[in-house]
Structure formats: structure tokens, C-alpha cells
Amino acid sequence: MRQQRSAGEVSALKARLPAIRQAVLPGARLAKACNDALRIRERLEVFLNHGAVEVDAKPAENLMRPVALGRKNWRHIGDEQAGPKIAAILGVLAICSRLGIPAREYLRDVLPRLAEATTIEVARL
């Protein structure tokens, strides 16, 4: 469906964005919107080619909101790094929940590979 309905629209938008950006003042809202769209054009390609990727990050952001609010409160647990660590773990669990992935299976699969991966390889896990 994305290839049929969205690919042409995205392609036309990508072709027009540079011209629109050049036609408006740098501080204008439209210029900022163009800059944002130009910055994420590679991510739009991922959206078009992978059906599991959502175009809108708001559902994931809404799942993370309690984590962001709790992060400040969790700083006192153990040490200063405890809050960000708990937030990262809860973030992974929230994303698994949103995508319908069994978190336990995901962690069993990823954690052993993560321990052996280089920094560059982590993004591909």
C-alpha cells in the first residue's frame, strides 16, 4: 500500500523541497519545515520500504512519557546513572509492547549479541 499510495507523493515532495526552501526566508516556518523534511528524507525511504516502520513517532513518544517523567525521580536509586538506565530499559519494553514483540524473547535474542557487538554494529541489531 505504501508503494502504491505514498511513494509517488514522497518522490514529488523530495523533488520540490529544495526549490520551496530557496524561495522562502531562512527564518520562516516553511523554511524550518523544509529543513526538517530534507533532514529526514532518508528515514522516509525506510518508511516506504519497510512496512513495520510507522510514519509518526507520537505513539512511541506517548509510551515514553512516563519514562521521561520518572527519570528525574529515579536518579536517587543506587547512583546517578540508575535513572537513565531504568529509562532505557523501560523504553525498550514500551517499544516491544507497541510493536507486539514479546519483550522477553527480544531481550534473549538481542542482549547476547549486544554484549559482543562493536559500537558501529549496535545500530544494526
Side-chain angles (χ1 to χ4, degrees):
M1 293 294 278
R2 289 180 186 188
Q3 290 297 321
Q4 292 173 352
R5 295 185 180 179
S6 300
E9 297 291 329
V10 170
S11 179
L13 180 63
K14 284 178 14 182
R16 290 185 54 209
L17 277 173
I20 295 169
R21 176 62 187 90
Q22 291 296 322
V24 296
L25 294 172
R29 287 184 180 175
L30 183 56
K32 292 176 183 176
C34 288
N35 290 340
D36 288 344
L38 288 167
R39 184 176 40 79
I40 66 163
R41 63 181 161 212
E42 290 177 9
R43 286 189 264 164
L44 284 173
E45 292 295 327
V46 173
F47 162 75
L48 290 173
N49 295 319
H50 301 284
V53 175
E54 297 185 30
V55 71
D56 188 3
K58 285 189 176 142
E61 290 171 3
N62 287 339
L63 287 171
M64 294 296 293
R65 185 166 287 116
V67 174
L69 293 173
R71 185 182 303 132
K72 189 175 186 180
N73 296 329
W74 297 326
R75 285 190 185 155
H76 68 280
I77 301 174
D79 65 42
E80 202 170 292
Q81 289 300 312
K85 288 176 184 177
I86 291 170
I89 292 167
L90 291 176
V92 169
L93 296 177
I95 291 168
C96 285
S97 173
R98 173 80 173 117
L99 297 176
I101 298 169
R104 184 177 297 234
E105 291 175 28
Y106 174 78
L107 292 173
R108 279 188 183 146
D109 176 51
V110 172
L111 289 178
R113 292 186 293 140
L114 186 62
E116 298 172 2
T118 64
T119 305
I120 295 170
E121 294 170 335
V122 168
R124 287 185 256 146
L125 294 177

